[in-house]
Amino acid sequence: MEAAYTYEAAARVHVFDARELPWQDTAEAGLRLKPVRCDDDKGHFLGLVSFAPMARSGLHQHRGVATSFLADGSLVDHAGPIGLHQAGINLYGATHDAVAYQNTLLVSRLEGPVVYPASRGDLSGLHAGSRYAEFDNPAPDVPPDINVDVDTLPVHTSGIEHIRRQTIFDYAGTGSDHRFVQLWLGPRAECPVWHCRKLVEFWVRGGLLQINRQSAHANCFVVIEPGATVQMSSPFGALLLAWAEGPEDWLDAASIGRARARQPSLFGY
């Protein structure tokens, strides 16, 4: 797969309009990808995944955390369906085969490889880091998906005026100290300046985000590299999904005061 971006810790902020990225076919009919970031060696991926009606993932097992948000449609595996505006989390060892019965669009982030049985035949390329391995289900009584109704989650103050947070998944017990959250920025929201310690990525679900003199509208991905100094605001409101691999560091006490922020925390660390 040809990705729009290759990871670097170069203190930059990138904005990618997913509408402008080409769909790329996989070897499996009905499965297509728009990769923003893809590393087959590590099994890392960020981007959009499209299922046509009757398209299947094929039986596979996750060897790292995978998170997806259903922007459209639904998927079904042996544990049942995941539907519109739900987030699905697959932990290490999650074993399933997902099928779509309607056009389905996912915003997906993979943090580890995925294995398929050799009996499958050719790998579809649906998952970054796809490879062959023999496996069984390590926890057959545990559903392979943690499905979360994102918009009904408790809303928490971020400590910053006009910015709120809903925690989707905090990765506790996975070996990673990451966070997956939804952020709401109200009209005229202005975040104090912060320093990015580890990789942070956004998908703009709705509205308009201004970040480091760049505009990220709905269906844009934002990649914030470690070391970046980040200035972000929203003139008319924005709704974001955010993946943070570490906490932010606040840089400017004066800007915190101007934003009327108290003990601010974007990602819930």
Side-chain angles (χ1 to χ4, degrees):
M1 285 286 155
E2 294 291 330
Y5 165 79
T6 300
Y7 172 75
E8 293 184 63
R12 299 169 300 180
V13 175
H14 304 269
V15 175
F16 301 96
D17 184 349
R19 180 179 55 182
E20 297 178 355
L21 300 178
W23 281 110
Q24 299 180 41
D25 293 328
T26 70
E28 189 77 24
L31 298 179
R32 301 189 299 165
L33 305 175
K34 284 195 177 194
V36 173
R37 180 172 58 80
C38 185
D39 185 331
D40 276 319
D41 290 335
K42 295 181 179 179
H44 292 179
F45 176 88
L46 175 72
L48 299 180
V49 179
S50 173
F51 282 69
M54 306 301 175
R56 287 177 45 229
S57 67
L59 178 65
H60 61 276
Q61 185 175 93
H62 292 271
R63 298 290 174 87
V65 175
T67 54
S68 297
F69 176 79
L70 271 287
D72 195 19
S74 67
L75 292 174
V76 181
D77 62 18
H78 70 272
I82 179 172
L84 184 65
H85 301 164
Q86 287 188 311
I89 296 98
N90 305 117
L91 302 181
Y92 187 103
T95 305
H96 64 159
D97 181 355
V99 62
Y101 292 107
Q102 57 186 305
N103 286 313
T104 298
L105 180 67
L106 289 77
V107 181
S108 291
R109 192 179 198 259
L110 302 181
E111 301 183 28
V114 172
V115 296
Y116 289 82
S119 58
R120 172 186 170 82
D122 292 339
L123 294 171
S124 69
L126 172 64
H127 296 102
S130 295
R131 57 200 65 173
Y132 294 116
E134 296 306 314
F135 57 82
D136 59 12
N137 191 331
D141 295 326
V142 177
D145 321 282
I146 302 170
N147 294 341
V148 179
D149 292 311
V150 172
D151 296 322
T152 65
L153 289 169
V155 178
H156 301 283
T157 177
S158 69
I160 305 166
E161 190 175 36
H162 306 310
I163 300 180
R164 301 171 190 161
R165 178 184 66 251
Q166 292 167 288
T167 300
I168 301 170
F169 186 61
D170 71 1
Y171 287 72
T174 69
S176 297
D177 190 23
H178 298 177
R179 298 290 188 273
F180 178 30
V181 304
Q182 178 163 261
L183 294 177
W184 175 85
L185 283 73
R188 300 184 182 178
E190 184 168 352
C191 187
V193 180
W194 55 280
H195 173 263
C196 180
R197 233 190 256 187
K198 296 185 178 181
L199 180 66
V200 172
E201 295 174 318
F202 298 152
W203 177 68
V204 182
R205 186 177 169 194
L208 176 67
L209 176 72
Q210 300 286 358
I211 184 164
N212 286 26
R213 299 183 180 179
Q214 301 178 74
S215 294
H217 53 71
N219 200 26
C220 282
F221 287 88
V222 179
V223 178
I224 305 172
E225 296 174 342
T229 297
V230 183
Q231 295 177 303
M232 52 188 262
S233 61
S234 182
F236 304 109
L239 189 65
L240 320 174
L241 298 184
W243 296 263
E245 297 192 358
E248 69 278 26
D249 292 321
W250 302 102
L251 294 182
D252 184 350
S255 70
I256 290 176
R258 287 194 299 272
R260 299 179 184 176
R262 295 184 178 180
Q263 297 181 329
S265 175
L266 286 173
F267 310 118
Y269 282 94

